[in-house]
Amino acid sequence: MSTQTTGTIAVLGATGQQGGAVVDALLDHKARVRALVRNPQSDRAQALAARGVELAAIRADDPASLAAALATVEGFYFMTPEANSLEEVEAEIRIGTALVDAAVEAGVPHVVFNSVFGADRESGVPHHDSKHWIEEHLGKSGLRATMVRPTAFMENFASVMAPSLEHGEIVLRLPLPEDVALKMISVRDIGRVAAALLLDTAEAPGGAVELVGDELTGPQIAAAFGARAGLPARYEALPLSVLPNDLDKVMFRQFAEAAEYPSDLAVVRSIEPATLDLVEWIRATGWTAPTNVAGS
Ligand SMILES: NC(=O)c1ccc[n+]([C@@H]2O[C@H](COP(=O)([O-])OP(=O)(O)OC[C@H]3O[C@@H](n4cnc5c(N)ncnc54)[C@H](OP(=O)(O)O)[C@@H]3O)[C@@H](O)[C@H]2O)c1
């Protein structure tokens, strides 16, 4: 095992979910953090500054700002923003490419790229293949690079994939067949694993790790929420046609395919032994049953 990193770690995405969790974990290890932000005056950036995080103003289309922000850092974590259209996928590739090129220019010793599950195989999911492209670009850059590939965020169960309460029953509906196990990870643990890799207290076998903390079918997920609420629970598998966005349709097809591949759960637990499974995430976040559905 290598010695612990003591230099500054640069984080792009620090004002967001995953990058924010990386910052939390790095600060827990007393690391020095520099957040690369578009607007240092934003409330989120200022909240980071109040916790001792250095702010560097950057623009992805301004290579000089990126190279300056990456000067003298020991490690660099970056994610790429959500893409909901093919235009945004193109923008994601542009941003990722610019970040890799800037890391080369600055001679960053270690880069951790927050990719996505399945990015090692071209999947046909546009906002996954974009990350595959960035991984390839990083691979050819000559930089020491590690890929972290998160599966579905458990946090989605508190937003876009939230179960509902209907007539005294917890109901979960997803466009996923009921016998397919969904791989998932908490955002907290994405941050903890990425931080361990950045601080060189852990290594990813082969330079990449799929981030998974649990694998459960729809009925098992519904049962976990039902048990927490003390209520009966049921799962309804929906057709893909309910999804309004074509990118999401291909992605849910990819969720089903991902279930066929071996899981890196043991690797993740070897890096972060306290990795949350879904029941632990439900408890840790204090999830309570929704109360706002008619008939409940
Ligand atoms: N949801 C899932 O289940 C899931 C699973 C696996 C992978 N993913 C992937 O995770 C990514 C989203 O991650 P997240 O949820 O952590 O994001 P997020 O919370 O939406 O945060 C986005 C971050 O990116 C920064 N940002 C956005 N556009 C930028 C730009 N042009 N230049 C520089 N910084 C920019 C934002 O900073 P500002 O403060 O400047 O806005 C913010 O810090 C997507 O690529 C998605 O495909 C999602």
Side-chain angles (χ1 to χ4, degrees):
M1 192 69 61
S2 338
T3 51
Q4 179 146 348
T5 299
T6 52
T8 298
I9 305 287
V11 176
L12 183 125
T15 54
Q17 297 195 80
Q18 298 177 102
V22 175
V23 172
D24 291 346
L26 288 170
L27 293 180
D28 284 349
H29 288 280
K30 313 261 180 273
R32 281 195 290 275
V33 181
R34 181 182 299 162
L36 277 53
V37 294
R38 291 185 290 182
N39 177 10
Q41 301 312 322
S42 74
D43 290 348
R44 287 183 176 198
Q46 285 298 311
L48 291 169
R51 295 165 69 202
V53 173
E54 183 190 342
L55 301 179
I58 55 99
R59 277 196 19 214
D61 59 359
D62 176 6
S65 73
L66 296 175
L70 293 177
T72 70
V73 300
E74 192 100 353
F76 175 36
Y77 161 95
F78 75 95
M79 45 72 67
T80 46
E82 192 77 45
N84 292 307
S85 65
L86 291 179
E87 291 72 29
E88 287 176 358
V89 167
E90 292 293 320
E92 182 183 11
I93 292 175
R94 269 199 310 280
I95 292 168
T97 305
L99 294 171
V100 172
D101 294 348
V104 172
E105 180 72 24
V108 175
H110 184 201
V111 174
V112 172
F113 171 45
N114 196 121
S115 181
V116 72
F117 73 94
D120 47 333
R121 357 173 237 280
E122 277 177 87
S123 62
V125 182
H127 56 302
H128 289 197
D129 287 346
S130 50
K131 294 174 179 71
H132 174 81
W133 200 97
I134 297 164
E135 284 196 10
E136 296 266 290
H137 190 59
L138 195 45
K140 288 184 220 141
S141 70
L143 292 164
R144 177 182 165 218
T146 306
M147 318 298 169
V148 288
R149 300 187 180 126
T151 52
F153 300 169
M154 290 180 186
E155 281 66 17
N156 295 338
F157 293 117
S159 55
V160 286
M161 288 169 24
S164 55
L165 176 62
E166 298 174 24
H167 308 288
E169 193 179 34
I170 296 292
V171 183
L172 178 70
R173 295 184 180 89
L174 294 178
L176 199 67
E178 66 173 29
D179 58 345
V180 168
L182 180 70
K183 292 183 179 176
M184 59 188 92
I185 181 86
S186 76
V187 167
R188 183 202 80 172
D189 291 330
I190 296 173
R192 288 187 176 188
V193 173
L197 297 168
L198 287 158
L199 295 170
D200 266 344
T201 56
E203 276 180 32
V209 58
E210 184 192 67
L211 299 184
V212 54
D214 210 343
E215 305 175 65
L216 297 171
T217 62
Q220 289 171 327
I221 297 167
F225 284 102
R228 169 73 184 189
L231 293 170
R234 89 184 138 83
Y235 178 71
E236 265 181 42
L238 301 175
L240 285 175
S241 56
V242 297
L243 292 167
N245 184 324
D246 283 346
L247 267 58
D248 286 340
K249 285 192 182 107
V250 221
M251 187 181 69
F252 267 90
R253 218 172 281 134
Q254 166 75 348
F255 279 142
E257 279 170 28
E260 307 289 321
Y261 287 88
S263 172
D264 276 356
L265 186 57
V267 178
V268 173
R269 286 195 186 285
S270 74
I271 297 174
E272 172 50 51
T275 296
L276 299 171
D277 62 23
L278 184 66
V279 168
E280 289 166 337
W281 178 85
I282 289 171
R283 201 182 308 126
T285 55
W287 180 88
T288 52
T291 53
N292 57 347
V293 174
S296 309

